[in-house]
């Protein structure tokens, strides 16, 4: 990733838009990736001078979803770490919807990272990834009958961006 290579380029993120709160927002399922991938990613970004939102550091106990949405909207880039259990989190999926909305409306950069999950499973919501998505949608289906369609669209859109498949070398 180009923006990790030099601190001079990373510091230009915030200077280019003084209204930005963060350079990068990391969207991920904590149980799958927090300790074995995301913490290392966050460390590399921080060491490069990239102002990164990570829920461990920036999330205050009792923080509401609306505050996470503001952090997304106040970021220039979102790294979306797709993992096997990503779709079990309705918060991850709701954040992803907002990330895609920010991309469409404001040119927000979206970089998918496929961590032990196939990009095609994310794109098509197949296998265990798709089953978990359906189960998550059923949890709130009575409130919002279009949620599965919106989440599926957001997943497909994000998976179609140029990203990184952790399982593939290089």
């Amino acid at each position: 990733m180009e923006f990790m290579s030099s601190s001079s380029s990373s510091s230009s993120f915030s200077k280019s838009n003084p209204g930005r709160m963060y350079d990068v927002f990391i969207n991920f399922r904590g149980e799958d990736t927090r300790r074995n991938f995301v913490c290392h990613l966050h460390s590399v970004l921080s060491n490069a001078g990239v102002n990164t939102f990570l829920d461990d550091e920036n999330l205050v106990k009792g923080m509401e979803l609306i505050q996470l949405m503001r952090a997304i909207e106040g970021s220039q880039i979102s790294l979306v770490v797709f993992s096997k259990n990503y779709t079990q989190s309705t918060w991850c999926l709701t954040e992803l919807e907002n990330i895609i909305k920010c991309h469409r409306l404001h040119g927000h950069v979206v970089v998918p990272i496929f961590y032990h999950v196939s990009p095609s499973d994310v794109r098509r919501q197949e296998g265990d990834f798709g089953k978990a998505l359906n189960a998550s949608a059923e949890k709130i289906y009575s409130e919002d009958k279009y949620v599965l369609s919106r989440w599926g669209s957001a997943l497909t859109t994000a998976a179609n961006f140029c990203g990184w498949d952790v399982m593939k070398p290089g």
Side-chain angles (χ1 to χ4, degrees):
M1 295 175 158
E2 182 84 16
F3 61 87
M4 291 192 308
S5 61
S6 86
S7 60
S8 64
S9 66
S10 66
S11 63
S12 68
F13 285 132
S14 296
K15 291 175 186 170
S16 66
N17 186 341
R20 296 274 181 212
M21 294 183 291
Y22 304 99
D23 299 322
V24 175
F25 180 93
I26 303 177
N27 168 259
F28 66 100
R29 174 78 169 147
E31 291 175 18
D32 292 355
T33 62
R34 180 182 314 278
R35 296 208 176 3
N36 54 4
F37 180 76
V38 171
C39 67
H40 301 292
L41 175 63
H42 180 258
S43 178
V44 168
L45 290 169
S46 294
N47 289 339
V50 178
N51 183 13
T52 306
F53 182 95
L54 182 67
D55 65 5
D56 260 4
E57 290 189 354
N58 305 101
L59 193 62
V60 178
K61 235 182 183 21
M63 181 181 244
E64 303 213 5
L65 189 57
I66 189 73
Q67 293 167 299
L68 288 172
M69 297 304 142
R70 286 189 193 123
I72 292 166
E73 292 159 9
S75 299
Q76 187 167 356
I77 298 170
S78 284
L79 301 179
V80 182
V81 183
F82 292 114
S83 58
K84 291 179 182 181
N85 297 312
Y86 179 91
T87 54
Q88 290 179 2
S89 169
T90 59
W91 278 50
C92 283
L93 293 162
T94 303
E95 288 174 12
L96 180 62
E97 269 189 278
N98 196 38
I99 289 167
I100 298 303
K101 180 181 112 187
C102 289
H103 167 75
R104 288 188 176 129
L105 296 176
H106 310 293
H108 187 94
V109 176
V110 180
V111 180
I113 299 170
F114 303 95
Y115 184 81
H116 299 281
V117 66
S118 162
S120 64
D121 283 352
V122 175
R123 192 174 293 113
R124 297 183 186 120
Q125 295 91 58
E126 294 178 336
D128 291 338
F129 192 86
K131 289 176 189 171
L133 174 65
N134 286 318
S136 292
E138 284 178 15
K139 286 181 196 174
I140 63 168
Y141 186 78
S142 61
E143 295 175 26
D144 185 353
K145 63 182 179 178
Y146 301 108
V147 72
L148 183 60
S149 173
R150 288 194 328 268
W151 287 345
S153 176
L155 287 162
T156 299
T157 299
N160 282 331
F161 289 117
C162 185
W164 180 34
D165 186 344
V166 174
M167 299 305 291
K168 291 190 177 181

